[in-house]
Amino acid sequence: MRSTGRTRRGLGLTVSALLTTSLAAALLTDPTAAGASSSAVTDYSITVDPDRAGPEIDDAMYGVFYEDINRAADGGLYAELVQNRSFEYDAADNASYTPLTSWTETATGGATGTARVVNDAARLNENNRDYLRLDLHGDGGGAGAGYGVTNSGYNTGIAVQAGKKYDFSVWARTENPTGTPLTIGLHTASGSTALATPLRATVRGDRWTKYTGTLTARATDTTGRLAVTAGGGGTVRLDMVSLFPRDTYQSRPNGLRKDLAEKIAALKPGFLRFPGGCLVNTGSHKSYEAPGWERKRSYQWKDTVGPVEERPTNANFWGYNQSYGLGYYEYFQFAEDIGATPLPVVPALVTGCGQNKATDDPELLKRHIQDTLDLIEFANGPVTSTWGKKRAQMGHPTPFGLDRLEVGNEENLPDAFFERFTEFREAIEAKHPEITVISNSGPDDSGVTFDRAWELNRAAKVKMVDEHYYNSPRWFLENNNRYDSYDRQGPKVFLGEYASQDNRFSNSLAEAAYMTGLERNADVVKMASYAPLLANEDYIQWRPDLIWFDNAAAWGSTSYEAQKLFMNNVGDQVVPSQASATPSLPSGPITGAVGLSTWATSAAYDDVQVTSADGSTLLSDDFSGGDGKWTKATGTGSWQVRDGAYVQSDTAAENTMVIAGDSGWQNYDLKLKATKRAGSEGFLIAFGVKDTGNYYWWNLGGWGNTRSAVEKATDGAKQTMAEDGTRIETGRAYDVRTEVRGRQVTLYLDGKKWGAFTDDKVAEPFRQVVTRDKATGELIVKVVNAQDAAARTRIDLGQGVKVRRTARLTTLQGDPDAVNTATDQPIKPSSSTFDGVDSTFSYTFPANSITFMRIATRK
């Protein structure tokens, strides 16, 4: 998962009636656009060559990537219902956090006391340092008096189901020589209704002891609160306050939330990549040790195994705390449960995700390499080995069968990364030649970092390279043939993270169209996983996401349904096939108005000129007459004419676009002067603006002023057209020129050519691939029709092929704007049969559909 320090979405507003009218006209001529006639039919052909053998498809072709983002672990897959159970939350995790976040003090019967979180010598252990100290001031004479704390759980509260059992535990100690009575209750948010019969226990002795019990829910509720109340006087200490549903996935203690785990298992993933992602290689690489330990550390596997009360805490990169209750042992166990190959990712000591620092510490590097060797021993070693014994003590004497491992994630410093990766690789291959060591190519699908990383990987004959990219749906339609030209003898590709930028069905169609290209190139692309996997709807750092949930329900996005269809119907071998292209796809020059914008930056613009190719002036503005030629498109930022320039002064505002001109402009030059005044980035020069979701902009000094790129936005989703490492200096006036000719764009900075691109790729909406299921003898014809026209298709299975007349079909079809939600899943698979199969036959694939046709062959 990559982080650029910002999330750039569509601007969301229409510039003017003129631009809106222009866009509407364009949609009417574009068969891939929403609004085209659903009654239209386009003719295609698919020709299959069953006598030729395509590439074999690995069993691990499709898998899942799990990262603790969007509260995917605590409050998500990890079944613990108590938030901040060990009082370890801190402002270092999130500025709003305190050690008592999610807890409130409560008193009954006139009792009084004080509650405070303490870190002193009385702590539970050195890895679990904070605990709750309750100083009890007496019962006030009331019946049932007590003083304590109540936990609100996640989302709307603790969700319980009538008749289900919930296992409670707490570590406690008391200074009261006669003991301290505890009452554990479960009630609604208002406190008016008890959801279970209370538990009672007496804490005895001033040594940490674990107390357990079971609550049985009387009613179903999603707003539950867990109350722990102490009676009497003196001091009682509490830590690791826990409530677990008895009914976890595979009924495991310290287990996984059942509905989420079942959603993942239903995908039948070939591999499980874990634990990230950005949290693997960001922060300090030092260990959790006193004194002076780092709160924000890279994910280090040894912190996450052993008894849960002895696992240290960490600040999650995505802005919250992670408890490590869900750790490496649980990941390996889950992979085994769902039949997936485990694929752990370890830090390479070069931070990514916007941090971009190389740790130069030979001893620390040596320690992390040894930790990685120990990880392999933990996974695969005999019970007589040090770490194999640890695995056995946790309950799994049989090895987990690890055969691949990834070092690093999305590093933007390819040379520094590869130097350290090489040391990991050499050490691992020397001791464990059976392990495939996976490298990566940075955070994007192209660019300087990508090219250099691939150069290094090829030269070193690395076995597999992990590629990541998140792009617009149009990019996925345009790049189906991306891997057709990859070197068949070079490193194999692991597409570890990808998705198009939204959760509508149109995104799923584009992704599915792209997946036909992955399968066609199964000799190069050996593994692929959509990302991210999980999203708690109340704690979102990233979207789109595959599976959504709240505290009581889980549902698959439209992309989940598409991924599931592919993952459950992979086949064993590609059968070569060809399809005709869509006739008369739209073409023509880049057209649109011009714009200026900023992102977390103040900038000044002056001397804006737009001239046509014949030299005539379309726009000239030195701002001596004000800003009347410009429309504030987004409503953000503070734009004013100052000292003869057009200035955006709000350094906190994001995407402040203003627009001028005509949506019909084409073949023009845009020239201006731009000066960064303050802030974290540079400036944005827009051209080809149709509306606030469809445009190009030259992003100079973007991504925290670490690089520059031209991005193309289509319905708000972006793709990169050209980029380099240009950074922008504060206070310096830059001469910027953009030359648009047809679909060719050339860009100049201070009179020198910065870059160029031609935007001429075709967004082909009709894609297909054919595979063979050797176990059943079936041909699986997979067709994606990502347009509003039905696809009337002649299918030729080849001469001499004997097939059964009836094929089994599974189809996803619906409105391209459809979104699956907790209460409505308009996109779901439908099953049917088709009785007209022959060696040559016709079938009409519905508009906006994904269809898998399983055709039985006869000897």
Side-chain angles (χ1 to χ4, degrees):
M1 182 62 57
R2 70 180 176 211
S3 172
T4 61
R6 57 187 159 184
T7 302
R8 287 193 167 166
R9 307 193 190 282
L11 303 182
L13 296 174
T14 303
V15 178
S16 67
L18 177 62
L19 295 185
T20 303
T21 302
S22 176
L23 177 61
L27 291 175
L28 292 175
T29 63
D30 184 352
T32 70
S37 172
S38 59
S39 62
V41 176
T42 303
D43 289 317
Y44 294 92
S45 65
I46 297 174
T47 304
V48 183
D49 189 349
D51 296 328
R52 289 174 52 223
E56 298 283 335
I57 304 174
D58 285 8
D59 291 339
M61 174 69 184
Y62 295 122
V64 291
F65 164 49
Y66 180 90
E67 179 175 9
D68 187 0
I69 185 174
N70 307 320
R71 281 284 187 191
D74 298 329
L77 185 62
Y78 186 49
E80 174 64 75
L81 297 172
V82 176
Q83 183 172 184
N84 190 20
R85 67 182 177 186
S86 60
F87 309 100
E88 300 287 346
Y89 277 27
D90 189 272
D93 309 327
N94 186 293
S96 68
Y97 282 180
T98 73
L100 282 172
T101 291
S102 296
W103 295 94
T104 56
E105 298 177 53
T106 54
T108 60
T112 60
T114 58
R116 56 196 175 100
V117 175
V118 181
N119 177 356
D120 61 18
R123 65 177 68 92
L124 181 60
N125 56 63
E126 285 304 306
N127 286 345
N128 196 333
R129 298 175 181 178
D130 287 355
Y131 66 88
L132 180 67
R133 173 175 171 150
L134 295 178
D135 292 312
L136 309 174
H137 301 161
D139 60 15
Y147 176 81
V149 289
T150 297
N151 190 269
S152 58
Y154 298 91
N155 299 85
T156 58
I158 294 171
V160 296
Q161 295 182 46
K164 296 284 188 178
K165 296 182 181 298
Y166 298 86
D167 293 326
F168 171 83
S169 65
V170 63
W171 288 78
R173 60 190 291 185
T174 182
E175 294 178 0
N176 191 329
T178 62
T180 299
L182 292 183
T183 301
I184 298 94
L186 191 61
H187 58 74
T188 56
S190 65
S192 60
T193 305
L195 295 172
T197 301
L199 289 172
R200 302 190 190 280
T202 300
V203 179
R204 299 189 185 278
D206 201 14
R207 298 181 61 181
W208 287 105
T209 304
K210 186 177 182 179
Y211 297 85
T212 64
T214 300
L215 293 162
T216 301
R218 296 175 179 172
T220 297
D221 196 275
T222 61
T223 69
R225 301 291 189 266
L226 179 72
V228 182
T229 307
T235 297
V236 64
R237 295 173 169 87
L238 306 177
D239 206 347
M240 293 293 290
V241 183
S242 174
L243 188 68
F244 253 87
R246 177 76 59 84
D247 190 17
T248 59
Y249 185 67
Q250 301 291 348
S251 300
R252 298 191 184 281
N254 195 50
L256 306 182
R257 181 172 149 174
K258 191 173 183 179
D259 60 344
L260 288 177
E262 287 176 344
K263 282 279 186 197
I264 298 168
L267 293 169
K268 300 180 181 179
F271 64 86
L272 171 65
R273 177 178 178 244
F274 64 89
C278 285
L279 57 83
V280 164
N281 67 332
T282 51
S284 169
H285 298 299
K286 293 183 179 179
S287 61
Y288 183 88
E289 55 191 16
W293 58 278
E294 296 281 353
R295 182 77 183 193
K296 298 182 178 181
R297 307 181 312 284
S298 57
Y299 197 107
Q300 300 173 42
W301 79 270
K302 288 181 179 178
D303 289 345
T304 76
V305 297
V308 291
E309 69 272 10
E310 295 179 7
R311 301 180 189 180
T313 192
N314 199 4
N316 186 300
F317 174 83
W318 297 106
Y320 51 89
N321 178 274
Q322 53 187 338
S323 72
Y324 287 149
L326 174 55
Y328 257 73
Y329 178 76
E330 290 77 22
Y331 285 125
F332 277 122
Q333 200 171 52
F334 184 45
E336 183 177 71
D337 286 344
I338 62 178
T341 296
L343 201 173
V345 187
V346 299
L349 274 68
V350 178
T351 57
C353 302
Q355 294 185 357
N356 303 333
K357 294 180 181 179
T359 299
D360 188 14
D361 185 336
E363 288 304 311
L364 188 59
L365 176 62
K366 183 178 178 181
R367 194 266 285 175
H368 274 268
I369 291 172
Q370 184 58 51
D371 281 355
T372 303
L373 296 174
D374 291 344
L375 170 60
I376 297 170
E377 183 176 285
F378 177 77
N380 293 350
V383 295
T384 54
S385 66
T386 300
W387 288 100
K389 180 180 179 180
K390 181 74 169 180
R391 180 194 69 243
Q393 289 171 340
M394 294 185 71
H396 202 285
T398 306
F400 282 115
L402 178 69
D403 65 1
R404 63 200 77 185
L405 181 147
E406 184 170 357
V407 177
N409 175 77
E410 295 186 5
E411 286 76 18
N412 258 315
L413 304 172
D415 289 273
F417 160 73
F418 205 78
E419 178 183 346
R420 290 153 181 79
F421 170 82
T422 299
E423 294 197 46
F424 276 90
R425 180 190 179 197
E426 289 175 351
I428 295 168
E429 291 182 347
K431 194 168 183 179
H432 298 284
E434 74 280 5
I435 300 293
T436 297
V437 185
I438 302 172
S439 180
N440 75 82
S441 60
D444 293 298
D445 62 90
S446 59
V448 176
T449 296
F450 179 88
D451 291 341
R452 178 57 176 162
W454 262 104
E455 179 184 8
L456 293 167
N457 285 312
R458 288 192 191 96
K461 293 182 169 55
V462 170
K463 292 181 181 178
M464 187 173 290
V465 178
D466 186 4
E467 293 189 354
H468 294 179
Y469 38 83
Y470 299 87
N471 288 319
S472 69
R474 187 176 182 88
W475 184 94
F476 284 95
L477 293 175
E478 290 175 346
N479 286 276
N480 178 274
N481 63 348
R482 174 182 175 88
Y483 295 107
D484 291 4
S485 59
Y486 271 50
D487 181 2
R488 271 40 208 170
Q489 306 306 314
K492 303 306 179 184
V493 171
F494 169 29
L495 180 49
E497 297 183 32
Y498 74 98
S500 69
Q501 296 160 343
D502 207 339
N503 258 152
R504 297 178 297 164
F505 187 47
S506 57
N507 298 87
S508 311
L509 290 165
E511 292 154 2
Y514 191 72
M515 292 170 78
T516 66
L518 301 183
E519 291 192 7
R520 187 176 65 251
N521 288 284
D523 56 331
V524 170
V525 183
K526 308 305 287 185
M527 300 189 298
S529 49
Y530 181 104
L533 179 63
L534 296 173
N536 187 321
E537 67 171 2
D538 289 339
Y539 305 92
I540 300 302
Q541 291 85 44
W542 188 282
R543 63 174 298 143
D545 303 286
L546 201 64
I547 300 169
W548 290 77
F549 63 94
D550 56 24
N551 65 345
W555 59 96
S557 67
T558 64
S559 291
Y560 173 86
E561 298 297 346
Q563 292 286 327
K564 184 179 178 182
L565 187 56
F566 272 85
M567 294 169 76
N568 283 216
N569 297 275
V570 182
D572 303 290
Q573 187 177 39
V574 176
V575 180
S577 61
Q578 288 186 329
S580 58
T582 301
S584 304
L585 284 175
S587 60
I590 293 172
T591 61
V594 298
L596 312 171
S597 189
T598 60
W599 198 289
T601 303
S602 172
Y605 297 94
D606 202 0
D607 297 333
V608 179
Q609 289 187 322
V610 181
T611 56
S612 65
D614 63 8
S616 60
T617 298
L618 301 175
L619 172 69
S620 180
D621 199 346
D622 62 4
F623 301 101
S624 59
D627 63 354
K629 298 178 181 179
W630 298 84
T631 299
K632 294 180 175 65
T634 65
T636 62
S638 179
W639 287 95
Q640 292 178 312
V641 176
R642 294 182 182 176
D643 302 322
Y646 202 20
V647 178
Q648 197 293 110
S649 57
D650 185 350
T651 57
E654 298 180 344
N655 202 351
T656 64
M657 187 182 283
V658 294
I659 297 174
D662 191 314
S663 64
W665 282 354
Q666 58 181 271
N667 297 319
Y668 58 78
D669 290 357
L670 166 62
K671 295 192 294 183
L672 55 86
K673 292 185 182 295
T675 305
K676 173 183 175 179
R677 293 160 57 97
S680 60
E681 304 212 352
F683 30 79
L684 296 144
I685 315 301
F687 56 95
V689 180
K690 293 183 178 180
D691 69 3
T692 50
N694 296 272
Y695 55 87
Y696 302 79
W697 67 15
W698 189 3
N699 185 353
L700 284 156
W703 297 270
N705 204 16
T706 60
R707 61 190 178 101
S708 297
V710 177
E711 296 177 288
K712 175 185 177 181
T714 305
D715 294 333
K718 295 185 178 67
Q719 63 191 85
T720 299
M721 309 304 294
E723 71 166 290
D724 75 355
T726 299
R727 301 185 182 192
I728 296 301
E729 299 175 22
T730 301
R732 175 182 166 186
Y734 289 84
D735 289 318
V736 181
R737 179 160 70 96
T738 302
E739 181 184 277
V740 181
R741 297 292 185 273
R743 303 203 67 81
Q744 170 77 31
V745 178
T746 309
L747 306 111
Y748 300 87
L749 190 63
D750 286 338
K752 296 181 180 179
K753 183 177 177 180
W754 176 88
F757 66 90
T758 303
D759 184 14
D760 60 356
K761 288 186 176 180
V762 174
E764 173 58 65
F766 185 82
R767 296 291 188 182
Q768 60 80 38
V769 69
V770 181
T771 64
R772 178 178 284 109
D773 186 329
K774 293 181 179 179
T776 65
E778 292 173 306
L779 294 176
I780 311 174
V781 180
K782 310 174 186 183
V783 176
V784 181
N785 183 26
Q787 60 183 328
D788 284 345
R792 186 167 49 206
T793 307
R794 180 179 182 275
I795 301 172
D796 185 349
L797 297 177
Q799 295 297 319
V801 174
K802 296 181 179 180
V803 295
R804 299 190 185 277
R805 291 283 296 174
T806 301
R808 296 185 291 131
L809 277 69
T810 306
T811 304
L812 296 174
Q813 193 270 333
D815 188 326
D817 287 328
V819 176
N820 284 356
T821 68
T823 56
D824 184 28
Q825 288 90 45
I827 303 301
K828 53 189 176 183
S830 64
S831 299
S832 61
T833 58
F834 175 67
D835 295 326
V837 178
D838 206 337
S839 58
T840 300
F841 66 100
S842 292
Y843 183 82
T844 299
F845 296 95
N848 300 306
S849 68
I850 306 167
T851 304
F852 277 35
M853 179 182 290
R854 298 187 72 109
I855 300 172
T857 59
R858 296 180 296 176
K859 294 182 180 180

